[in-house]
Structure formats: C-alpha cells, structure tokens
Amino acid sequence: MSRNRLFRRLLFTNIMIIVLTMAILSVLFYIMFENYYFRDKEKIMVEEGKQINTILNDYLIGDIDIDRLNQNLNVVDRLINASIWVVSTDGHIYIQSRDFEKNWTGVTLSRDDIRNILKGETIVRRGYFGGRFTQPVLTVGLPLVLGGKIQGAIFMHSPIVEMQKTLMDIFFIMLLAISISIFIAFILISYTSKRISNPLKEMSIATEKMAKGDFSTKINVVDDDEIGDLAKSFNAMSSELGRMDNARREFVANVSHELRSPLSTIQGYIDGVVDGTIPMEKSKFYLEIAQKETRRMSRLISELLDITKMESGAFPLNLVEFDINELIRLTIIKMESRINEKDLMVKVDFESDKDIVEADKDKIEQVLTNLIDNAIKFSNPGGYIHISTEKSKEKIYVKVHNKGKTIPKGEIDHIWDRFYKVDKSRSGSPGVGLGLYIVRSIINLHNEDIWVTSSDEEGTTFTFTLKLKKVKQ
C-alpha cells in the first residue's frame, strides 16, 4: 500500500483541484446567470409595460372594448408571468390582470409607492413590495401616460420563486454536467497518475535491488516525455553502474593477480637463496629478477596512489616551461631496450627543432611513457612507431602512432574509463587497465584534450594537445 502513496496523492490533488475549480465556476456562473436572467426579465417587463400603456390608450380612445382590454392584459400576464396592476394618480388600483395571492382591485397604494413613478421614473424592486406579498416578487413600475400626460402607474409583479425554480433547473443541469465531467476526469487522471507513478514505483523497486548489487533491472519505457526520459536515464545509469561494477570486480581480481604473481616470484627466489636451493653463483641472477618484480609492484602501487589523489583532488600540477621535443627524445631513449626486444623502428617527426610548452613536466613524461609503452606492446614484431608533433595557433599536437593490434570500435569509448581494461585477447596479458585513465586525467588537469583513432587500415593513433609558450623575439 505504501508504494501507492504517490498515485493517491496525484489522484487526490488533481480531483480536488477539479472539484474546487468546478465549484467556484458553478457559483460564479450561477451568480452571473442569475443577474443576466433578472436583467433580461426586467427589460422584458419594461417593454411589456409600454405595450400595456398602448393597450390602455387604445381602450381610452375607444378602439377596443373592456373585454378586449382584459384579454390583451391576460396575454401579457401569461407572457411575462406577472400580475398587472393599473393604478390611478391617487394610488387606487382599478385594474388587476389576475389574483396573485389575493384580489387587489380597489386597494389604494401609499403615496410613497407611486411618487417616483408619477415623476416619470421607472422603478425596479425585489422583495415583498412593502409587505403586501407573502413571497418575494420582482416588481417593475412605470408611468401610465394617457393623452400625453401621466395619468397613473402600471405595476407588474412576477414571483421570484418561479424564476428561481428556472434557475435551479439550470443549476441542476450544470451540476449534472460537472458530475459527469468529474467522473470522466477521475478516470483520465487515474490513468495519467498511474502512467506517472508506475515508472517511479518501478524505479524505487529497482533502486532497492541496485542497493543490493543487482544492476540487471530495467524500467519499461512507455512514453516519450519527461518520465520516459527519466526512465531511459535510469536504465542508462543502471547499465553503466553494472558495467562499472563488473569492471571493479575485474579490477580487484587483476590487481590481486598483479600483486600476488610478483610477490610469489620474489618470495620463491628469496627463499631459494636463503635455504641454499639456488646456488650462490646464480643468486645474483634470481635476485635481479626479484628486483624487477619489485619495481613492477611499485609502479602498480604508484598508479593506484595517483588515482586516489586524482579522485580526492590532491593531484596538483607543477607548471614549468620545457622543450616537449626533448622530453619525447629522452622518453624514447629510456624505453630503448623494450623497443629493441620487438625489433621496432621508431620514426620521429618534429615540426620545429624546439617547442616550448607550459605544463607539468613529470606528469607529461608519465603520459608519454604510457602511450609509447602501449604503442610498443601492440605493435607487430619488426613494425614501427611514429611519433610526431604539429603546431596550430597556440597549441601543439603530439601524436603517437603504431601499426598492429587495433582497438575494437565497441571499446574506444571506454578505454579511458576507470577500472576498464581492453579485451585480454588484444593485450596478451591480464593488466589492470589504469594507464589510459591516468593519462586522460593528467591531460584534463591541464585543460587540454586527448583522443584516439584506430582502424585495421590506418593503425592506432593517440593525440593530445599542450599549450605552447610564446617565445620572445
């Protein structure tokens, strides 16, 4: 039940918004329609009052008789649903179209009731007309003009209860329409809320599984909207975390192997020297092997420490000015023995004899060592390595190229990742996959770029940039 809280909240909130909106609109429409209805009724009653005045004029000049007069008054009465009074100037009611509550013929109205009308004004009132009616009425009074002079007043009283009944019928229709709308809205909002809450609920369940190490759960992407984009991002994150977790496991396994193998070798050779298994004349040879393995372990540990410093932000740069071409030459010389072991030819092309850059010399040497080491490792025996520099504007482009085993397209985007190791079939050794991650991190710390291209036809080329230092003339 707790996992449906978002759905219930969305449903309740949207329904409440619709209900409140409909309620406010209903009240506003009712008030607006009531005012419109009464204004329209008042206008009709005034127009019909003028018609009554005309009928009375016709009666006065003898165009119609008393029966025709009463007949016409009754027609107007039914048309506007109002009791019609014809009142003399002294307030005496001498004509009534119908008995509304009682017969008012012969009753005299007060002077206040007709004073304004005798001045030529038209009055409109709502209420009980001075307490004369037991139910509220809409009263319209206007001057009775006969022979061009005001000779009395015409009153029309329409029961408000009848008008309110009509308004209530309209209001009931509005409520019915609102109820149907809310019902339809409930279905649509329920459906929409589920479309929103279900993926989030799936993400919540998947997150719990991910917290336990299960990265295989994927969210079903249904809609192409923000929720769909979130689900796609979640799936991408899950896949990436799964890949990183696998890489981490492989990394731990590789590091354990890389440390255990030299330790076993070192221990075996030292034990052999100590217990006399290895003759003294051969002890130097085996101790040199142990020394080599110790240095390999030291390099691995240094790489791990470098990664720790980079991730903690404690990897400061010591920027100095130096000749990048000279640094490339020295790095190649240091790796001469490995180059000769594979019988490789190294070709060097510098655009200028001397190119001064501003960077951390030791870290750039680490970059070059790693890239050249990779070029040696993946070159075919008897092949060649091509190292070159090119200048463009304020940048120098350093390229390390080799022909041999290339990087599969599916792995190019991942070779820079932490804990990622290129397929073992390419490298021929387990490795730990830290070198290129460190290389890219160093270049990024310099706010420069590094990239790689690799194909069977062209070979593999790593390119990185450095900032050139302007030489004063």
Side-chain angles (χ1 to χ4, degrees):
M1 290 296 292
S2 62
R3 295 192 182 279
N4 291 322
R5 285 178 298 178
L6 178 61
F7 168 72
R8 292 198 302 270
R9 191 179 304 162
L10 287 171
L11 183 62
F12 176 77
T13 302
N14 284 286
I15 290 297
M16 285 302 299
I17 291 173
I18 291 175
V19 170
L20 289 174
T21 303
M22 289 295 188
I24 293 171
L25 288 176
S26 298
V27 172
L28 292 177
F29 275 120
Y30 180 80
I31 295 172
M32 182 181 68
F33 192 79
E34 182 184 41
N35 291 333
Y36 171 80
Y37 186 81
F38 275 104
R39 284 197 303 268
D40 190 60
K41 183 74 172 181
E42 292 165 6
K43 182 178 178 181
I44 292 173
M45 291 174 71
V46 170
E47 293 298 324
E48 292 302 321
K50 294 177 181 179
Q51 186 64 31
I52 293 170
N53 201 128
T54 302
I55 294 171
L56 290 172
N57 269 294
D58 292 340
Y59 172 74
L60 182 64
I61 63 178
D63 286 347
I64 58 174
D65 55 17
I66 188 65
D67 292 334
R68 184 65 180 273
L69 173 63
N70 289 330
Q71 182 181 359
N72 288 338
L73 290 177
N74 288 332
V75 170
V76 176
D77 180 315
R78 289 191 297 271
L79 177 65
I80 61 176
N81 188 28
S83 176
I84 302 169
W85 296 353
V86 180
V87 184
S88 64
T89 53
D90 58 2
H92 185 73
I93 302 174
Y94 62 89
I95 296 177
Q96 180 180 1
S97 63
R98 64 163 137 166
D99 293 337
F100 178 51
E101 294 195 348
K102 71 176 184 176
N103 186 359
W104 294 92
T105 305
V107 175
T108 301
L109 301 179
S110 68
R111 188 71 180 172
D112 292 335
D113 292 326
I114 62 174
R115 179 185 293 112
N116 292 334
I117 297 176
L118 294 179
K119 292 179 182 179
E121 298 177 7
T122 298
I123 66 168
V124 178
R125 296 177 185 170
R126 296 183 197 178
Y128 298 89
F129 196 61
R132 294 181 178 85
F133 296 99
T134 59
Q135 57 179 299
V137 294
L138 173 63
T139 298
V140 174
L142 63 162
L144 172 60
V145 181
L146 299 174
K149 296 181 179 180
I150 298 176
Q151 300 293 334
I154 300 172
F155 284 95
M156 292 161 285
H157 308 285
S158 180
I160 289 179
V161 173
E162 296 296 327
M163 288 183 279
Q164 288 178 333
K165 183 180 179 182
T166 302
L167 289 172
M168 289 306 297
D169 290 340
I170 295 172
F171 188 66
F172 175 76
I173 294 173
M174 290 177 60
L175 286 178
L176 181 62
I178 290 171
S179 300
I180 295 173
S181 299
I182 291 176
F183 177 73
I184 296 173
F186 176 84
I187 296 174
L188 293 176
I189 291 173
S190 177
Y191 172 76
T192 304
S193 298
K194 284 184 179 179
R195 293 291 287 262
I196 295 174
S197 63
N198 284 347
L200 297 178
K201 183 167 67 175
E202 289 183 29
M203 290 181 201
S204 177
I205 296 172
T207 302
E208 292 179 1
K209 292 182 179 179
M210 289 170 62
K212 297 176 182 179
D214 181 5
F215 301 100
S216 61
T217 304
K218 295 295 183 289
I219 306 301
N220 184 27
V221 181
V222 178
D223 298 318
D224 187 18
D225 55 13
E226 287 80 359
I227 296 294
D229 292 341
L230 179 61
K232 291 177 183 177
S233 298
F234 186 91
N235 289 338
M237 179 189 70
S238 177
S239 299
E240 184 64 15
L241 287 175
R243 189 189 66 77
M244 291 294 292
D245 186 63
N246 292 333
R248 179 187 60 81
R249 294 174 187 274
E250 185 176 351
F251 168 78
V252 172
N254 289 336
V255 169
S256 300
H257 175 77
E258 287 292 314
L259 290 175
R260 185 170 58 249
S261 295
L263 278 174
S264 299
T265 301
I266 293 169
Q267 182 179 358
Y269 289 157
I270 292 177
D271 287 344
V273 172
V274 172
D275 62 19
T277 305
I278 297 176
M280 289 298 297
E281 62 272 15
K282 293 186 177 181
S283 61
K284 182 181 179 181
F285 172 77
Y286 288 106
L287 286 175
E288 287 177 349
I289 295 176
Q291 184 185 52
K292 184 178 179 181
E293 292 297 312
T294 303
R295 289 172 179 169
R296 186 158 71 92
M297 287 177 57
S298 178
R299 284 197 303 271
L300 174 60
I301 293 171
S302 295
E303 289 179 345
L304 293 173
L305 290 175
D306 286 343
I307 289 177
T308 302
K309 290 178 182 178
M310 289 176 187
E311 292 179 345
S312 64
F315 200 67
L317 296 178
N318 180 26
L319 299 179
V320 295
E321 297 178 12
F322 62 93
D323 182 4
I324 184 65
N325 298 340
E326 181 64 22
L327 183 62
I328 293 172
R329 294 188 190 99
L330 292 174
T331 305
I332 295 172
I333 292 171
K334 289 179 182 178
M335 306 183 75
E336 186 176 1
S337 61
R338 290 204 58 214
I339 293 170
N340 293 334
E341 285 177 6
K342 295 193 72 172
D343 191 25
L344 299 175
M345 180 184 73
V346 177
K347 181 181 179 182
V348 178
D349 285 323
F350 297 145
E351 185 171 322
S352 302
D353 184 60
K354 188 175 184 179
D355 290 310
I356 305 300
V357 297
E358 186 177 26
D360 188 313
K361 186 175 181 179
D362 292 337
K363 292 181 174 61
I364 296 302
E365 182 180 0
Q366 188 176 358
V367 169
L368 289 169
T369 299
N370 199 299
L371 295 180
I372 296 173
D373 180 73
N374 278 345
I376 295 170
K377 184 188 301 182
F378 301 127
S379 293
N380 296 324
Y384 76 95
I385 297 173
H386 184 197
I387 302 172
S388 62
T389 61
E390 295 177 7
K391 292 187 290 187
S392 177
K393 297 181 180 179
E394 298 181 355
K395 300 282 186 181
I396 188 167
Y397 294 77
V398 180
K399 298 183 179 182
V400 179
H401 171 77
N402 73 286
K403 289 278 285 186
K405 296 177 181 178
T406 57
I407 305 172
K409 289 184 178 180
E411 296 186 11
I412 286 181
D413 293 335
H414 301 294
I415 61 172
W416 310 106
D417 294 349
R418 184 183 57 157
F419 302 141
Y420 189 82
K421 183 179 69 66
V422 176
D423 185 72
K424 294 179 182 178
S425 63
R426 179 177 181 264
S427 64
S429 62
V432 291
L434 297 177
L436 291 179
Y437 173 76
I438 295 174
V439 164
R440 188 181 67 168
S441 299
I442 291 173
I443 296 300
N444 287 345
L445 283 173
H446 285 79
N447 294 320
E448 299 294 339
D449 298 319
I450 184 168
W451 62 92
V452 62
T453 58
S454 186
S455 66
D456 293 335
E457 296 79 14
E458 300 296 329
T460 301
T461 302
F462 283 86
T463 306
F464 67 91
T465 64
L466 288 175
K467 181 181 179 181
L468 276 172
K469 185 67 177 179
K470 292 183 179 179
V471 179
K472 296 181 180 180
Q473 300 296 332

